[in-house]
Amino acid sequence: MKLKKQVTVCGGAIFCVAVFSLYLMLDRVQHDPARRQSAGNFPRSQISVLQNRIEQLEQLLEENHQIISHIKDSVLELTDTGAISPSGHLPFRSANGSWVLPFDGRPTFLSVQPLDCQFALGRRSQTDLQMLDVYSLLSFDNVDGGVWKQGFEITYEPNEWDDEPLQVFVVPHSHNDPGWIKTFDKYYNDQTQHIFNNMVVKLAEDPRRKFIWSEISFFAKWWESADVHKQEAMRKLILSGQLEMVTGGWVMTDEASAHYFAMIDQLIEGHQWLEKNLGVTPRSGWAVDPFGYSATMPYLLKRANMSSMLIQRVHYSIKKHFAATRSLEFMWRQTWDIESGTDMFCHMMPFYSYDVPHTCGPDPKICCQFDFKRLPGSRVNCPWKVPPRAITDANVAERAGVLLDQYRKKSKLFRSKVLLVPLGDDFRFDKPLEWDQQYFNYQKLFDYMNSHPEMHVKAQFATLTDYFNAVYKANGVAPGTRPPDYPVLSGDFFAYADREDHYWSGYYTSRPFYKNLDRVLESHLRGAEILYSLAVAHARRAGLEGRYPVSDYSLLTDARRNIGLFQHHDAITGTAKEAVVIDYGNRLLGSLVGLKRVIINAAHFLVIKNKDIYRFYQTEPFLETDDRRATQDSLPQRTLIELESSPRYLVLFNPVEQERLCVVTVLVNSARVRVLTEDGQTLPVQLSAQWVSAIEMSGEVYQASFMARLPALGLAVFHLYDSADSPMTLRSDTLLRIPGQGQSIRGLDPLPVRSQTVDAQPFYIQSQSLTLGFSGTTGLLESIRRKDDPQEVRVQIQFLTYGTRPSKDKSGAYLFLPDGNAKPYSQREAPVVRVVEGPLFAEVVAHYQHFQQTVRIHNVPGVDGLSLDITTMLDIRDQNNKELAMRLVTDIQSGDTFYTDLNGFQVKYTCPQTWSKSSPLLVLDSS
Ligand SMILES: [Zn+2]
């Protein structure tokens, strides 16, 4: 939990995975002299096709030239007078100062319908247990429950099982983190491969032995290096039901920070591997270690054809309440699923942990004595100071009696007389000795119990599905259906606390840089999969499959596996050690580079009209992407497009299923930029400065923004020129609000800058749809007003800091343990605030010592025009034990209800006052 520091980018865009555009800049061939000379190894035919098109465009340009010159004259007047544009072609400023764009009148498909926001008023599914109601019932008083510290004393009558014996299913397992203290590969080499190697021998020794496995990332790695005999032995164990694959995901995914795209991806990757190599489909979910549980998961598992699932890390007060009401097994229903067709049977483990001391029954001191890896002489022992004893003929009666007492007590918390007893821990069963210790000693206990009818128990090793099937059978229902009288629950299990007020909500925001990188990679994967599929389909149709690099598929697989790996509950959560984080970072960066290659290759093929001339050159990518990262922990550097009088081509890809109208910004080396659509239409361009610091603009690099209409799942090509005649290029108006006098600010030709001393008066930026108000003092957002709504909504952004406690337990990667309420972030001097306004976008950038925040609005119709793009870049490397938080204060009358989301998949509503012991959701911490 050591505090680490990061340079971080995060913002609204992080969660807009599905609306991510990829820019590709057409090759350097057009302007790189070195390559032009060596064009012998570049497809000349392609160049000539492009040249022809350029000539056509030049012609069109010429024809448009006169009209444009005319418009240019009129617009110069119009901008000053605020009159209505008679030509209707150019952006102009209306009387109230806002920019009005020429609009082609075609609809945008991403429009907002009034009903879109009415989901909250819809009918909710009927359930017995709604988690929000459960929270309001709980006192969170943390009373000492005796041997079961966080629970209560459990009693039973000895004759309770006389009619129906207790069925005990002991499920051996080993929890293998694909990266945590060690990297994935190191864990595999040091421990996990030995677990599998021993498994094939030790399970085969006795058909009554069972085991479960969940992380396919590890299993696939072992399988691919195992010889055919080991593979056959393993296959036999699986087909005979001795070894069960549970969940079958690439990892045991985190459920709070992960986006549902990636959660599904890692599940598909694991399931496809199992299907292809073993022909098996998992039936039950097993998630003992994620730090809280999302309602998205039962839905995904159900859709992946599973019928039951198990969870473990749930707030101890909820466990206690559910145990007391025998609600630990329930049907988990989606709040929005009125039809209840996606209900999932769920088992919640009752006690503190998934280790042996906390799984045989309520008393860890006793259960620990039945973890036979801890026999005297072992490196691990029992902290409760009573060691296990090997089972012998002399002690088996006494030992079986003691263990049965725990089994019976645990079973009192459930509705059936079927009991689940997990047997395992982290990286267990790596040594042959442990297999012998556990299986021989337990078998002796089972044999004794089963041969003594007066004990009224039937105990055995089992897989997870063996247990669930027995529960269904005991209740007389088909697998996956609701047993009579079992409760139905809706909601989720966040935030998790394992003891006292140790809320595991720190990890929601730990290592935000990598959380951002994860989303970037997911959007690239989505884009690459679409483009690759389109390109391969076209190549097949054109009979060019042999020329297309279909082997790019392996890059897609690598990326899916690396993203899958990163969904692990110590990866995306930010709870792994530094070296492991770097390992993940390198994997993610490697995959990002690979995906860009897939995208480039596919876009190259797709943009060429005459496919016959297509040639693929491994070493000469036809296109370049819009940014690159030097190392796994560096920020992306945007690619500069060097303009010339001949065109540079910009290919934009829209990975969403709707046509989009959006503002695209690229970096160019000339202020005389001219942008044309593919059919030769000149587009209005907003030219803005590229800033090297808060007050210093670059003299060589400019931002060129234009409005692009992009087809659904399609590519659009734009032509960029350095042109002395660029009448549609309009300069942004820039104002610097600076603290105190004396700083001399000057713009660089052709971008003038005005400056003024900061005052307390609020200031505004606006588009055709929105007016945003900002604090004159802080430069941060204060209000939002829609054009069609006279009501201004207060949305005040504040930055705050949390300290951590002086005690041993500090805020860290896992926990959020603030030293009290948040304190306003303050710095001695007022921030430099930059206000940029133009026809296509307006933005306010506030520069603080530890962060800079950009709030931007786009002057386009549809959703993009009604959205705020908020980007916060922070660097808190000079801080220790401090957390930086962003708070939104609004006057929205939503009562106690607060809406947030689960995995980008569904909306969650919550009532903060019931979470007085919990933590705010929007915390950007320094770990
Ligand atoms: Zn784990």
Side-chain angles (χ1 to χ4, degrees):
M1 297 195 198
K2 209 173 104 198
L3 289 180
K4 296 286 178 228
K5 310 131 198 175
Q6 298 289 355
V7 187
T8 293
V9 205
C10 47
I14 293 175
F15 298 102
C16 302
V17 176
V19 285
F20 185 80
S21 299
L22 302 160
Y23 320 146
L24 302 128
M25 263 146 293
L26 218 88
D27 82 285
R28 296 189 204 98
V29 169
Q30 306 297 332
H31 66 102
D32 179 343
R35 284 184 58 164
R36 198 177 297 169
Q37 279 153 17
S38 65
N41 58 7
F42 200 82
R44 281 199 164 276
S45 49
Q46 290 177 14
I47 298 170
S48 65
V49 169
L50 292 173
Q51 294 290 5
N52 286 343
R53 306 210 60 189
I54 294 160
E55 279 160 24
Q56 286 170 11
L57 287 166
E58 295 283 4
Q59 252 183 348
L60 279 168
L61 257 180
E62 201 52 48
E63 286 165 19
N64 287 336
H65 185 73
Q66 285 186 340
I67 310 168
I68 290 164
S69 309
H70 172 71
I71 296 166
K72 182 183 167 189
D73 294 342
S74 17
V75 95
L76 288 174
E77 290 170 21
L78 290 167
T79 359
D80 292 332
T81 60
I84 288 170
S85 166
S87 70
H89 285 90
L90 274 177
F92 65 94
R93 256 188 146 147
S94 68
N96 71 3
S98 73
W99 281 93
V100 179
L101 286 175
F103 180 49
D104 60 13
R106 286 156 64 194
T108 57
F109 293 93
L110 278 178
S111 56
V112 180
Q113 304 298 323
L115 282 177
D116 287 354
C117 297
Q118 299 298 308
F119 59 86
L121 304 175
R123 202 152 58 90
R124 293 211 180 92
S125 59
Q126 293 294 308
T127 54
D128 309 309
L129 299 168
Q130 164 47 244
M131 284 312 295
L132 280 184
D133 301 336
V134 174
Y135 295 134
S136 59
L137 288 176
L138 302 181
S139 54
F140 295 99
D141 50 4
N142 198 17
V143 179
D144 190 332
V147 292
W148 177 19
K149 213 167 173 315
Q150 295 172 328
F152 44 84
E153 195 192 343
I154 306 171
T155 55
Y156 61 86
E157 299 298 325
N159 60 357
E160 282 188 47
W161 292 272
D162 285 4
D163 298 334
E164 189 189 344
L166 182 66
Q167 296 180 62
V168 180
F169 291 84
V170 174
V171 177
H173 68 99
S174 179
H175 180 69
N176 282 237
D177 292 305
W180 178 39
I181 307 290
K182 300 179 186 177
T183 63
F184 172 73
D185 286 337
K186 185 129 178 62
Y187 272 137
Y188 176 79
N189 291 329
D190 291 358
Q191 280 134 298
T192 311
Q193 62 163 326
H194 306 303
I195 300 174
F196 294 124
N197 288 332
N198 290 317
M199 188 188 294
V200 287
V201 176
K202 293 294 174 183
L203 283 186
E205 283 178 6
D206 186 339
R208 292 173 298 178
R209 295 181 176 183
K210 303 274 184 120
F211 207 84
I212 59 168
W213 190 265
S214 61
E215 297 81 11
I216 305 306
S217 48
F218 277 127
F219 191 82
K221 188 174 172 72
W222 176 83
W223 183 269
E224 277 146 25
S225 66
D227 63 39
V228 68
H229 303 291
K230 275 186 182 168
Q231 286 182 350
E232 266 320 301
M234 190 63 93
R235 192 195 308 274
K236 223 171 128 189
L237 292 172
I238 291 169
L239 297 181
S240 71
Q242 276 188 269
L243 172 63
E244 182 188 358
M245 293 296 170
V246 285
T247 311
W250 201 244
V251 298
M252 187 183 288
T253 175
D254 168 55
E255 301 187 19
S257 314
H259 190 271
Y260 79 101
F261 273 32
M263 291 165 81
I264 295 172
D265 254 11
Q266 65 84 30
L267 196 60
I268 291 176
E269 201 55 33
H271 279 206
Q272 285 195 333
W273 192 94
L274 288 172
E275 170 69 28
K276 198 172 137 211
N277 293 281
L278 297 163
V280 296
T281 312
R283 302 291 303 149
S284 305
W286 170 263
V288 288
D289 204 26
F291 322 142
Y293 299 91
S294 166
T296 305
M297 206 59 193
Y299 176 78
L300 298 183
L301 297 182
K302 184 80 179 184
R303 290 296 191 219
N305 215 19
M306 273 170 258
S307 48
S308 327
M309 65 185 289
L310 172 144
I311 58 175
Q312 144 61 20
R313 286 199 185 271
V314 171
H315 194 296
Y316 59 90
S317 293
I318 295 167
K319 286 189 171 208
K320 183 177 176 177
H321 176 71
F322 278 22
T325 54
R326 295 200 303 154
S327 306
L328 291 162
E329 289 186 328
F330 51 85
M331 297 305 288
W332 198 342
R333 182 171 294 173
Q334 302 299 317
T335 45
W336 40 265
D337 187 7
I338 316 260
E339 306 298 319
S340 70
T342 58
D343 286 9
M344 185 70 167
F345 186 82
C346 182
H347 171 103
M348 182 191 294
M349 288 169 62
F351 307 122
Y352 174 77
S353 166
Y354 53 83
D355 61 11
V356 183
H358 298 94
T359 47
C360 94
D363 191 344
K365 183 176 173 180
I366 292 185
C367 288
C368 195
Q369 297 168 42
F370 294 90
D371 183 358
F372 296 103
K373 186 191 165 87
R374 305 191 204 220
L375 280 165
S378 163
R379 289 226 312 251
V380 280
N381 55 24
C382 283
W384 295 270
K385 303 268 164 48
V386 185
R389 279 177 282 153
I391 305 301
T392 62
D393 290 347
N395 70 14
V396 66
E398 183 269 340
R399 294 279 85 191
V402 169
L403 185 58
L404 180 60
D405 176 61
Q406 289 299 308
Y407 287 168
R408 286 178 162 189
K409 283 175 174 159
K410 183 175 179 182
S411 95
K412 289 292 286 177
L413 308 178
F414 295 89
R415 294 183 188 227
S416 77
K417 289 185 173 161
V418 184
L419 183 69
L420 174 69
V421 181
L423 175 71
D425 206 337
D426 292 354
F427 294 96
R428 282 301 188 90
F429 295 95
D430 61 334
K431 304 239 171 17
L433 176 64
E434 185 183 0
W435 290 83
D436 292 341
Q437 287 169 329
Q438 306 287 26
Y439 282 95
F440 280 124
N441 284 301
Y442 269 95
Q443 194 60 56
K444 278 183 200 153
L445 289 162
F446 297 162
D447 289 346
Y448 183 86
M449 289 178 186
N450 297 339
S451 61
H452 285 76
E454 73 282 6
M455 295 183 92
H456 300 290
V457 61
K458 187 175 173 294
Q460 61 183 63
F461 293 117
T463 67
L464 187 59
T465 300
D466 291 341
Y467 164 73
F468 281 125
N469 284 342
V471 173
Y472 296 126
K473 197 174 167 201
N475 281 287
V477 297
T481 49
R482 179 187 177 188
D485 305 328
Y486 275 53
V488 176
L489 173 145
S490 68
D492 60 80
F493 300 100
F494 294 122
Y496 168 60
D498 58 343
R499 59 195 164 100
E500 293 151 16
D501 62 348
H502 287 195
Y503 281 91
W504 294 40
S505 56
Y507 82 93
Y508 298 169
T509 53
S510 292
R511 302 190 187 276
F513 176 88
Y514 293 96
K515 285 180 165 73
N516 172 272
L517 182 57
D518 166 79
R519 297 299 201 261
V520 170
L521 196 54
E522 273 175 57
S523 65
H524 278 75
L525 176 60
R526 170 91 176 132
E529 283 174 337
I530 294 167
L531 283 173
Y532 176 84
S533 307
L534 288 172
V536 170
H538 279 277
R540 278 188 188 142
R541 203 164 49 190
L544 294 172
E545 212 176 342
R547 281 195 232 160
Y548 190 78
V550 284
S551 58
D552 277 1
Y553 189 79
S554 66
L555 294 172
L556 289 175
T557 304
D558 281 353
R560 277 198 284 264
R561 291 184 174 182
N562 282 330
I563 291 173
L565 194 70
F566 196 65
Q567 306 314 305
H568 161 52
H569 55 265
D570 290 305
I572 192 168
T573 53
T575 55
K577 293 282 181 202
E578 188 71 12
V580 181
V581 171
I582 292 167
D583 180 59
Y584 288 133
N586 283 325
R587 287 169 184 270
L588 297 181
L589 179 65
S591 291
L592 188 60
V593 171
L595 290 174
K596 284 180 183 235
R597 174 146 284 237
V598 177
I599 290 169
I600 285 170
N601 292 343
H604 173 198
F605 182 80
L606 291 167
V607 292
I608 286 184
K609 290 246 161 51
N610 179 4
K611 308 288 190 223
D612 290 339
I613 59 160
Y614 170 78
R615 293 284 182 281
F616 169 65
Y617 293 91
Q618 181 76 38
T619 51
E620 298 273 354
F622 192 64
L623 299 147
E624 220 181 305
T625 51
D626 68 324
D627 68 15
R628 63 180 60 203
R629 294 170 189 243
T631 60
Q632 56 88 21
D633 60 351
S634 53
L635 292 170
Q637 293 299 312
R638 301 285 304 275
T639 307
L640 177 68
I641 307 178
E642 296 191 15
L643 299 178
E644 311 182 327
S645 53
S646 56
R648 298 299 313 278
Y649 294 85
L650 180 74
V651 184
L652 295 179
F653 172 54
N654 172 16
V656 300
E657 300 89 340
Q658 288 89 15
E659 183 180 81
R660 290 185 64 196
L661 196 59
C662 55
V663 174
V664 173
T665 298
V666 292
L667 297 186
V668 292
N669 68 334
S670 165
R672 308 186 308 172
V673 56
R674 184 163 185 170
V675 178
L676 274 74
T677 60
E678 212 173 1
D679 52 11
Q681 192 191 348
T682 300
L683 292 176
V685 173
Q686 178 174 338
L687 186 77
S688 321
Q690 173 76 355
W691 295 82
V692 288
S693 75
I695 55 168
E696 191 191 343
M697 64 165 67
S698 162
E700 288 96 44
V701 182
Y702 306 89
Q703 293 184 22
S705 307
F706 60 95
M707 201 187 331
R709 186 179 278 276
L710 306 173
L713 299 177
L715 298 157
V717 182
F718 296 84
H719 306 223
L720 276 65
Y721 296 83
D722 182 354
S723 166
D725 182 24
S726 40
M728 303 276 265
T729 300
L730 302 160
R731 294 178 305 225
S732 290
D733 178 40
T734 306
L735 170 69
L736 281 176
R737 299 170 56 91
I738 47 176
Q741 306 281 351
Q743 267 177 309
S744 80
I745 308 291
R746 60 184 184 87
L748 293 171
D749 192 52
L751 290 165
V753 174
R754 293 178 294 124
S755 66
Q756 76 173 61
T757 309
V758 168
D759 60 44
Q761 285 302 309
F763 60 94
Y764 298 86
I765 57 172
Q766 53 188 338
S767 66
Q768 285 171 84
S769 313
L770 294 171
T771 301
L772 305 187
F774 291 81
S775 155
T777 322
T778 66
L780 300 173
L781 183 69
E782 275 195 332
S783 66
I784 302 174
R785 189 165 65 78
R786 282 173 52 158
K787 280 285 149 61
D788 54 1
D789 186 352
Q791 183 74 37
E792 183 178 80
V793 181
R794 178 175 171 234
V795 182
Q796 191 183 39
I797 290 183
Q798 301 173 346
F799 280 85
L800 306 123
T801 60
Y802 288 96
T804 191
R805 299 175 188 178
S807 61
K808 194 171 135 273
D809 298 317
K810 293 200 183 308
S811 285
Y814 295 85
L815 304 182
F816 177 53
L817 289 171
D819 58 353
N821 290 334
K823 297 173 191 67
Y825 174 89
S826 64
Q827 65 180 37
R828 213 176 303 146
E829 218 170 37
V832 172
V833 178
R834 195 165 63 233
V835 185
V836 178
E837 291 176 278
L840 296 171
F841 74 86
E843 69 179 14
V844 174
V845 188
H847 288 265
Y848 282 81
Q849 188 190 342
H850 293 105
F851 62 92
Q852 76 177 58
Q853 184 169 62
T854 306
V855 178
R856 181 186 271 219
I857 44 175
H858 293 112
N859 206 12
V860 290
V863 169
D864 282 20
L866 285 169
S867 311
L868 275 68
D869 191 340
I870 302 177
T871 305
T872 311
M873 178 106 74
L874 55 127
D875 184 350
I876 46 176
R877 282 177 290 189
D878 63 353
Q879 297 292 297
N880 258 329
N881 286 328
K882 273 263 170 65
E883 318 229 21
L884 184 63
M886 186 177 95
R887 179 188 280 167
L888 294 165
V889 181
T890 80
D891 56 4
I892 296 168
Q893 302 291 312
S894 57
D896 291 330
T897 308
F898 174 75
Y899 290 90
T900 178
D901 80 301
L902 289 171
N903 318 102
F905 176 67
Q906 57 181 312
V907 171
K908 160 194 169 120
Y909 66 104
T910 186
C911 301
Q913 96 282 3
T914 62
W915 282 102
S916 55
K917 291 185 174 182
S918 186
S919 45
L921 289 164
L922 293 168
V923 179
L924 302 175
D925 80 356
S926 61
S927 39

